[in-house]
Amino acid sequence: MTPLNVTLNLEIDPWRDLTPDTLPLNTDGGLSATLERVGVLPDGTQAGRATVLMLIRLPDGRQVVAETTLRLFKMAAAAIAASPVAQMEDL
């Protein structure tokens, strides 16, 4: 299974491995790619389990599709929803 790393607060724990040198498409110096679509593929794995696909538009207009299992996506969503940051958003 491919791991999915979830960081619950990027202000406290930023992704230090990502720098302008490793993100050459971010011409404005920021994370300017946009998540445009999310969809579910019911039989996305070889074992017939569901996967979640996300369409990401890069700053130069190209598109990338990222995929993870529905199980990992749900676990990440649950962790984010239970985080203090998400709880503050609900107030």
Side-chain angles (χ1 to χ4, degrees), residues 31-52:
L31 299 175
S32 57
T34 56
L35 178 61
E36 293 189 349
R37 299 182 196 173
V38 177
V40 176
L41 190 59
D43 296 316
T45 69
Q46 290 179 342
R49 299 193 65 102
T51 58
V52 175

Side-chain angles (χ1 to χ4, degrees), residues 18-60:
L18 301 180
T19 65
D21 295 337
T22 62
L23 297 170
L25 294 174
N26 290 335
T27 56
D28 65 356
L31 299 175
S32 57
T34 56
L35 178 61
E36 293 189 349
R37 299 182 196 173
V38 177
V40 176
L41 190 59
D43 296 316
T45 69
Q46 290 179 342
R49 299 193 65 102
T51 58
V52 175
L53 284 77
M54 293 154 273
L55 178 69
I56 301 163
R57 183 175 301 276
L58 300 175
D60 64 2

Side-chain angles (χ1 to χ4, degrees), residues 6-12 75-91:
V6 177
T7 305
L8 298 179
N9 188 332
L10 288 169
E11 289 179 356
I12 294 172
M75 288 172 46
I80 292 167
S83 74
V85 173
Q87 292 173 9
M88 292 298 294
E89 285 289 313
D90 291 340
L91 294 178

Side-chain angles (χ1 to χ4, degrees), residues 58-82:
L58 300 175
D60 64 2
R62 291 184 294 162
Q63 297 172 325
V64 175
V65 174
E67 181 179 29
T68 189
T69 63
L70 179 58
R71 180 178 289 173
L72 283 175
F73 185 83
K74 287 170 62 175
M75 288 172 46
I80 292 167

